[in-house]
């Protein structure tokens, strides 16, 4: 039960963090999304991998 509670809390915090930029800067967010639509798949995958590795590293440091 504790694991699922923590997972739900983490998911909720992720939603809050994801919503900050579109809430504060909706026009800039639209421009960013339009620019991301033109990026090729390989670059997006590399960006996603780097993001996951950074998150994993930070999680390791925090715990």
């Amino acid at each position: 039960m504790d694991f699922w509670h923590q997972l739900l809390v983490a998911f909720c915090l992720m939603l809050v963090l994801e919503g900050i930029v579109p809430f504060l800067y909706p026009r800039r967010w639209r421009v960013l999304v339009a620019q991301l639509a033109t990026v090729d798949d390989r670059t997006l995958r590399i960006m996603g991998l780097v993001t996951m590795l950074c998150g994993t590293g930070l999680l390791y440091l925090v715990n």
Side-chain angles (χ1 to χ4, degrees):
M1 176 81 172
D2 189 44
F3 168 77
W4 292 109
H5 177 73
Q6 288 181 354
L7 187 63
L8 183 60
V9 168
F11 182 71
C12 293
L13 287 173
M14 182 203 63
L15 290 176
V16 169
L17 292 173
E18 288 286 329
I20 289 173
V21 175
F23 176 74
L24 294 176
Y25 308 106
R27 287 186 187 139
R28 290 183 187 176
W29 186 77
R30 268 194 215 103
V31 171
L32 175 64
V33 170
Q35 288 174 346
L36 281 175
T38 64
V39 176
D40 62 301
D41 288 348
R42 185 171 192 269
T43 304
L44 284 175
R45 286 177 198 246
I46 291 171
M47 288 171 43
L49 177 63
V50 169
T51 303
M52 289 188 301
L53 291 174
C54 287
T56 303
L58 287 172
L59 186 60
Y60 178 76
L61 288 174
V62 168
N63 286 325

